[in-house]
Structures are given as C-alpha cells and as structure tokens.
Amino acid sequence: MTNPFFRWLPLLGLALVAGLAVWLVQPPRPVPATAPATEFSAYRARPDLVAVAGQPHPLGSGANAQVRDYLLSRCRELGLAASVQDLSLVTADQGPLTAARVQNVVARLPGRQPGGPAVLVLAHYDSQPHAPGAGDDGAGVAAMLETIRALRAGPPLANDVIWLFTDGEEAGLLGARAYAADTARLRREVGVALNFEGRGNAGPSLTFEVSPQNGWVMREYARAAPYPIASSLFYEAYRHLPNNTDFTPLRQAGITGLNFAFVDGHPYYHSPADTPAHLDLGSLQHHGSYMLSLVRHFGNIPLIHTKGPDETFFNPLGAWLVHYPAAWNLWLTQLTISLIVLTLVLAYVRGQLSAGSLLGGALGWLGGVALLLLGGWGLLALVARLYPQYGIFYDRASYNALAYQGALLALGLAAFTAYYGWLSRFLRPGSLLGGVLLVLALLLGVLQWQAPSSAFLLAWPLLATVLAWGVRLRRVASPTRQPASSPVEWLLALPAVALLAPTIYLLLVIFGLNVLALVALLFLAILLGLLLPVLLPVLRPAVGPNRPPATNWLLPGLALAEVLMALLIGHLGRQPTANQPQQTHLYYTLDAAHGQAYWLSSAPSPDAWTRQVFTRPKVAPLPALFPQSAGPVLHQAAPVLPLAPASLTVLADQVVAGQRRLRLRLLPGRTEVSSFTLRIGQAARLRSVRVADELTPAASLHPEAGEVSLLFLAPRADGEDLTLELAGAGPVPVVVTTRTLGLPGTLAPALPSTVVPAPGYNSFTTQVRQEFSL
C-alpha cells in the first residue's frame, strides 16, 4: 500500500506551481524618483497624474479645458512643439447619430531622420462625467509625459515620435476617429502605433490587442519589452468581441500597432473613486516600461515593412514570452491529436479502456463541466440575492469579489473531485482520462479552425498529458489499480498548470462576478481533467491487495470548507466604505410638454440611498417619456421644477418636388448643458441629416421603433444647426431632451461618503424633455 503522503505530494507540488504562476502575473515594482534621468519612474510621473486626474473632466467641460491647457504647457516645457487639433465630427455607427467637437493635443518629438513613418503613441485625456479617471486614462497620459522626459534626457531617436492625447474617447472614440479620418495621410505618417488604456486601477499592463498580420510587430515587441505580458488568446478573443478603444480606428485604417491596458481593480473603473490615491503605481510603471522601451526600439528601426504572418505568443511563466509562427500550430495540433489517437489505441490494447467506457469517460467529463457551470451559476445567483446592494453594478461594486471568486473556484474543485470520486467507482482510470483527452482533442480542432494562433492553450497541455499517459501505460499492471505518479508524470503536468492557472486568474479579473466568470470554470474543468492522473490516486487510493479502492472524500471536503471560509470573508467585507464606495444610479427628468416630472433609475430596485426619493417606486413601462419602449423602468413622480427646456427655431422651410428641407437651430435653454438628444419621428420619411457640415444619408442612419436619434455632446451655448430632408410636406414630430450633470440640489438628498454616482451619461443628471411638431 502506497504511503498517503506520496499520493498527495504531486498534487501539493502542482498547487504550489499554480500559485507561483498566478503570483508572477504582476506589474514591475515602481521605480523611485531618484533613478537615472533616462529611466521611467512612476514616482516622477505621479505629479502629472495628479494634475490630469484631480477631478472629473468629460468632453466639453471646463475641467477638460484645464487638462488640455496643462498638456500643452507640459509638452512645451519638455521642448516639444504642441498644438490642438480642433475638429467637429459626426459618427454614424450603430445607435444614435453622434455630433461633437473634439480637441486633441498633438505633439511631435523630431528624430534624426525626419520625413519617414513615425511612431505614434496615444492615450485619451477625457474622463467619464463623474470619474477623475486616474486609471482610465490618466495613467496613460502621465506615462506619455514621463516617457517624453526620459527620451529627452537621452540621445535622439532616428524616427519622429507623435504624441497624441485624444479627446472624447469615452463618448465613442471621437478624438481617435477624427485623427484617423484621413486614412491616406495616416498611413504615410505613422509606421507603428502604441495605445495605452486602463479598465481598473491595478494589475499588470496586458498587451491585449495586436494589429492583424502581427508577425513583424510581435517579434520586435519580444526583443524590446522588458516585462511582456501578452497572449495571442487575448488577440483572438478581442477581435471577436464588440469592444473598442482608440486603437480601433487606427487598426481599421491598416496601421500596425499594439494595445495595452491594466484590468484589475474593476470596481474603480469609471467610478468617482478612480483617483490618483487609489491607482497602483506598479501598473503605471508597467505602462511606462512598455512605452519607453518600445518607443526607443521602434524609434531606431525602419518602419516601412511592418506586416508579417501572424505569430503565436504567450507567457509560460511570469514575463517569459514565447513566440513562434502561428502556422506552426497546425502541425502542433495534428501531432497532438495523432498522439492522442495512438495512445487511446494503446490503452485499448492494454485493456485500460473499451469503446463504450471511452464514450462514458467523454460523457462523464461533459457532465462534470455541466455540474461546475450549474454550481457556479447558483453561487453567483445566491450572492446577488443575499447582497442586493450590488444590484446591476454587481461586478463593479463588489470590492470583495476576490473572496467570492475564491469560493467559485473552490466550489468547482469540490464538485469536480467529489463527482470523479464517485464516477471512478464505475469507470476505469484509463477510460476517465481517455474520455477527457477525446473531448479536448475535438475542442483543440475547433480552436485551431476558429482561432488558430491561440491553439497553443490546449495543444501544449494536451501534448504533455498524453505523453505522461504513455509513460504510465508502461507501468500499469492492472486495469483497475493505478500506481503512484512518477516524477516524469509530475513534470509533464506542469504545462497544463503553468498555462491554464494564470488564464483562469485573468478571466476572473476581467469578468469579476459577472456571469461570464463562469468561463473560468470551463478552464478549471479542463485543467482538472488533464490532472486526473494526479487526482485519481488521491480520490480513490488502493487500500490493500485484496480490497477494492475506496473513495477518499478529504479533498472535496477541504475544498468545500474553503468555499465556506471564502463566503464568510466576502460577507465580512460587504459594507461600503469611503475608499470602497457603493455605486448608485438616479436621475431627474422634467417632461415640460406635459408639466410632469419623474425620478428614474436604471437599477431594478431602489437601494438604501435612493429609497429616500423612491418612497412609492414603480417598475413598469413609462410611455410618457419612452413611448416607443415597453420595457420596465424604475420611476416615481417628482416635484416639478421651473427648468427651461430647449428651443427649436425653424431657420428655413422649403418644399421642392415633394421633398421638404428644414433648417433648424437648437438652443439648449439652460447653461452647462452637457448633451442633448433629438428623436425624430416618422423615420421612414427622413432622407438625410446634415450636422456640422457633414451630410448623413438615410442609408447610414439607424432608426429604432420608427425614430432616428441624434446625440449632441458638449453643445455650443449659442446653439447647434442641423438640416433635415424629408419625403413629403407633412409635419414631423421631434422630441428634444437636454442633460446637465448633477441632480437638482433642492430635491436630491446629500450623498454619504460611502455612496457615489454610477457610470453613464444619464447617471446623476437633470434632464428636460420638450416636444415639437415641425
């Protein structure tokens, strides 16, 4: 009988490797301000961060202008020629037609060989309406200023470097769109682009997006980046998602480049708590280490031929970056699947499995996946029910998410090990492992087909596991009894742990407690399935030469105890504090056309603070404000305030050959209006809209419920002009809603220090709605 210690030893060793792999996914230490002038120092960058992210500074605000002036002053102080790119633009993507004035700050660091393609570095300097934006994107802006300083302290580069501080990113990438509008000029001027973002306030800066045909840029990146954290899994996943950053217009224009962001600390994202004091300086240092090293590297090499076949790239451990041509993955996939098939045949010949038991093992693993997902969903639903203060901002306001994520993983481990302890009573170990390999081989084929550069994530762990199984098949004396794992098998389990454990961790960081966090449980099931040769001797050890193995429930029990402990830790940290405030959503709307007013919220129910105004709340459709929507909304009647609505003046009205042309001027009606929306009815009659001298034809409009919406951001105080062309001469209904930041001071209760406004352009606004028939 094998000593129990030796059965547990490989499992404990692999758990330590998993912990090490996760721990190594962290940013570098901040460099002190006393470092040599040619190095990047997060501490030297911090004063710029404080100046940029001292208060919310959304597009068009006075605070936004102050940040812009500061950037101009700092760039000139650092010896660069800087100017403002002042543009009005109209975007017609899915959703409302959006018009805005953006003011990018553009500076240039001349190289020794001007005239060729330049390096473009960009980050956005605007913020969400209620957020100071230290992480999003003050860190990127501060890193740019400190990088300029460090470059000026060293020898000049060969190529020019363009520093683009974009405006209006939060409103729809408006500054980047404006800069990239002239595609031909952009392609002539820019050889490679580096964009820096933040979706939180902590963690390593991930290289999460790369331009297509990334072979050249990834090889150069690997040569230059000092702490590279990158994965072609990010690249494949991101290109299939609808998310966008300022890098998107550049990528769409064919510019080669890289996109960086730190994503930990998600509860602070777009929050008033996203302040310089809460930003992890290690994340800022990681931004800067990328920026300085890559600008120096790309600034001194030719930027003419910047495309190449895609690379596969990933970190086997920490910042160790492996990269090779993505085309090799096809051979790796074919080799892995072939070895799996051969090993399954060998196991069949050795009596380790049969065709029926192999199918049973495959179905058993799929059942285990379903069990993990169902249990994880139940746990998340339980947390949401027990702690309704998280509400719709549940994945943002849960600063104690780490505790619940620990409970989620521990529950998955408990369920999987208990399930396989029971299942191993009916299926041989070879059948259980063979079934896992069979299903994962099919998944590998699908991954190679749909996302070829990320096939490494399954191919290397599968290849190592099937080799380990081959080693074991040479040692197995009985189909039902398993020897203890050998050191060779332990070593061959390392690729699965080293690659999948950090992936699970990063998935939880990215998704928080959102239902998408269940994807992490899928990868946990893959990891545990590949570790069955190590798990099964623990779960069902041999107890004697003449006695059948008995299930050992210690591991599931320990995991279940961890679930309870993690839930207790989460419960103890449930209360918001001034440093970890709860988010809430509320806004006031005056329906000037009907003399009624409402409190509204996008939350499903009132929280402790909003109950002060929602004394008789309703969650039902509100046709008075949203006649085209049957969806329920949390609302309640509010006192009517004497607020001036917008006015709409007809400047010209002509009908020619059955086509009506209306030229209108819209006046906000109140000072400090941050935005207004026009909803034009009878959308089928609308032929075109002209705003800011840009004509948008009907084919580019996106009517919804018979209406076309126009959103004006940071409108001019003297009004905005627009022209509508319509079929027929009949009247057209128009609804105008203006927004100002802040709730009516005479009605809204004071916010405690533990509660802050939620993100969004409706949150904590005062709106006035008016109807017109033109």
Side-chain angles (χ1 to χ4, degrees):
M1 184 171 61
T2 306
N3 189 320
F5 173 76
F6 292 106
R7 291 196 301 268
W8 282 82
L9 182 61
L11 191 60
L12 295 174
L14 291 174
L16 290 175
V17 172
L20 176 64
V22 170
W23 181 78
L24 288 174
V25 183
Q26 60 177 310
R29 292 180 180 274
V31 173
T34 55
T38 55
E39 293 185 22
F40 183 97
S41 165
Y43 284 98
R44 280 195 291 247
R46 198 173 189 282
D48 289 323
L49 174 68
V50 172
V52 169
Q55 61 181 322
H57 46 284
L59 171 71
S61 65
N64 181 273
Q66 292 175 17
V67 173
R68 181 168 58 253
D69 291 342
Y70 177 82
L71 295 176
L72 288 168
S73 173
R74 281 290 285 136
C75 287
R76 290 164 182 164
E77 179 184 313
L78 292 167
L80 274 62
S83 61
V84 174
Q85 183 190 37
D86 193 337
L87 294 170
S88 295
L89 77 160
V90 178
T91 63
D93 293 336
Q94 294 295 327
L97 193 69
T98 302
R101 176 194 178 194
V102 294
Q103 299 182 76
N104 297 330
V105 175
V106 185
R108 183 179 288 264
L109 178 64
R112 302 189 311 271
Q113 302 168 5
V119 180
L120 174 65
V121 184
L122 67 156
H124 68 89
Y125 74 87
D126 66 308
S127 74
Q128 276 273 316
H130 305 296
D136 182 26
D137 193 18
V141 171
M144 289 171 69
L145 295 173
E146 168 64 5
T147 299
I148 294 170
R149 185 211 56 75
L151 290 171
R152 296 286 290 171
L157 306 176
N159 302 322
D160 287 2
V161 183
I162 301 170
W163 306 88
L164 175 62
F165 304 88
T166 61
D167 192 12
E169 188 272 351
E170 299 291 356
L173 321 179
L174 301 179
R177 292 177 189 271
Y179 187 83
D182 187 346
T183 304
R185 173 196 59 79
L186 187 69
R187 290 175 179 170
R188 286 194 309 271
E189 288 189 356
V190 177
V192 65
L194 309 173
N195 182 59
F196 291 83
E197 261 288 1
R199 202 219 61 164
N201 69 343
S205 182
L206 308 177
T207 309
F208 71 96
E209 185 183 13
V210 189
S211 55
Q213 296 179 278
N214 61 51
W216 176 87
V217 73
M218 284 310 303
R219 288 192 295 273
E220 299 301 330
Y221 165 88
R223 291 189 181 102
Y227 305 99
I229 303 292
S231 172
S232 40
L233 175 66
F234 305 154
Y235 163 65
E236 292 284 7
Y238 196 81
R239 72 189 184 95
H240 288 93
L241 294 174
N243 302 345
N244 294 313
T245 69
D246 274 348
F247 183 66
T248 303
L250 304 175
R251 187 197 67 227
Q252 292 171 340
I255 300 299
T256 295
L258 302 161
N259 209 353
F260 307 87
F262 46 83
V263 298
D264 206 350
H266 191 228
Y268 293 92
Y269 179 53
H270 287 175
S271 165
D274 184 17
T275 63
H278 289 143
L279 180 73
D280 179 3
L281 289 184
S283 302
L284 176 56
Q285 183 67 43
H286 205 179
H287 260 3
S289 72
Y290 280 134
M291 194 181 295
L292 181 59
S293 60
L294 291 175
V295 169
R296 278 187 175 142
H297 182 75
F298 288 121
N300 282 310
I301 64 174
L303 302 177
I304 304 299
H305 304 293
T306 62
K307 302 292 185 184
D310 279 353
E311 291 269 299
T312 284
F313 48 94
F314 56 93
N315 300 99
L317 200 62
W320 171 29
L321 184 72
V322 170
H323 65 99
Y324 53 82
W328 292 7
N329 279 335
L330 179 59
W331 299 100
L332 179 62
T333 297
Q334 291 175 338
L335 172 64
T336 302
I337 293 177
S338 298
L339 286 177
I340 289 174
V341 172
L342 289 174
T343 308
L344 289 174
V345 171
L346 178 60
Y348 176 81
V349 172
R350 293 286 183 92
Q352 291 294 298
L353 54 80
S354 63
S357 66
L358 177 64
L359 178 60
L363 294 176
W365 184 78
L366 291 174
V369 171
L371 180 64
L372 262 65
L373 295 179
L374 183 62
W377 179 85
L379 180 64
L380 293 179
L382 177 65
V383 171
R385 185 174 182 83
L386 292 178
Y387 307 102
Q389 67 268 28
Y390 295 155
I392 59 169
F393 310 109
Y394 159 67
D395 62 330
R396 285 182 173 161
S398 50
Y399 299 90
N400 51 359
L402 184 61
Y404 296 122
Q405 290 167 348
L408 190 69
L409 293 181
L411 180 63
L413 177 61
F416 189 93
T417 53
Y419 172 70
Y420 264 86
W422 169 80
L423 196 62
S424 62
R425 297 170 59 188
F426 308 100
L427 292 172
R428 300 172 181 176
S431 301
L432 295 174
L433 179 59
V436 173
L437 294 180
L438 179 63
V439 177
L440 293 184
L442 295 175
L443 287 178
L444 173 60
V446 172
L447 192 61
Q448 176 65 42
W449 173 40
Q450 290 294 320
S453 68
S454 63
F456 76 90
L457 190 63
L458 287 182
W460 289 112
L462 274 173
L463 181 61
T465 302
V466 75
L467 290 175
W469 194 23
V471 171
R472 172 167 286 245
L473 284 174
R474 297 182 59 187
R475 303 169 54 233
V476 171
S478 167
T480 59
R481 295 183 181 277
Q482 297 295 301
S485 301
S486 69
V488 173
E489 294 173 72
W490 302 355
L491 290 175
L492 288 173
L494 291 178
V497 174
L499 287 177
L500 293 175
T503 299
I504 293 168
Y505 163 72
L506 288 173
L507 286 170
L508 291 174
V509 168
I510 292 169
F511 294 127
L513 295 180
N514 188 284
V515 69
L516 291 175
L518 296 180
V519 176
L521 291 183
L522 171 61
F523 281 91
L524 178 64
I526 292 173
L527 175 58
L528 295 177
L530 294 175
L531 295 181
L532 280 178
V534 177
L535 286 171
L536 288 176
V538 171
L539 294 175
R540 199 162 172 78
V543 294
N546 299 315
R547 298 172 59 189
T551 302
N552 186 336
W553 300 104
L554 179 58
L555 181 56
L558 290 174
L560 190 58
E562 185 181 344
V563 173
L564 300 177
M565 181 62 70
L567 290 176
L568 176 61
I569 293 172
H571 176 76
L572 294 176
R574 70 192 184 281
Q575 295 297 339
T577 66
N579 286 326
Q580 297 181 337
Q582 178 184 330
Q583 296 177 1
T584 189
H585 194 279
L586 182 68
Y587 63 105
Y588 173 92
T589 296
L590 170 66
D591 183 2
H594 302 99
Q596 296 178 327
Y598 303 89
W599 291 114
L600 300 105
S601 175
S602 57
S605 61
D607 58 34
W609 182 76
T610 56
R611 285 193 196 100
Q612 297 178 76
V613 296
F614 287 121
T615 55
R616 297 182 303 279
K618 296 180 180 179
V619 180
L622 186 56
L625 296 185
F626 312 110
Q628 305 295 338
S629 174
V633 59
L634 174 61
H635 67 278
Q636 179 180 306
V640 176
L641 296 176
L643 303 175
S647 63
L648 198 56
T649 303
V650 178
L651 302 178
D653 188 353
Q654 298 175 316
V655 178
V656 178
Q659 299 284 326
R660 187 182 182 198
R661 174 175 293 181
L662 270 172
R663 192 158 63 88
L664 308 172
R665 173 162 297 167
L666 179 58
L667 294 172
R670 293 175 293 151
T671 59
E672 300 299 326
V673 167
S674 60
S675 66
F676 55 72
T677 302
L678 280 79
R679 297 208 319 268
I680 305 167
Q682 301 180 13
R685 293 178 53 201
L686 199 59
R687 295 293 176 262
S688 68
V689 177
R690 181 180 292 275
V691 180
D693 293 327
E694 289 195 33
L695 182 69
T696 304
S700 298
L701 301 174
H702 306 286
E704 187 174 342
E707 295 181 336
V708 168
S709 295
L710 284 76
L711 173 62
F712 286 83
L713 297 168
R716 293 190 296 264
D718 59 350
E720 298 283 354
D721 292 352
L722 67 152
T723 301
L724 309 179
E725 291 194 3
L726 304 113
V732 58
V734 176
V735 176
V736 180
T737 302
T738 60
R739 296 177 188 82
T740 56
L741 294 178
L743 298 171
T746 57
L747 299 180
L751 270 178
S753 62
T754 57
V755 179
V756 294
Y761 282 84
N762 280 332
S763 179
F764 276 63
T765 59
T766 298
Q767 305 186 13
V768 180
R769 178 183 184 274
Q770 183 61 289
E771 299 177 1
F772 301 89
S773 180
L774 304 174

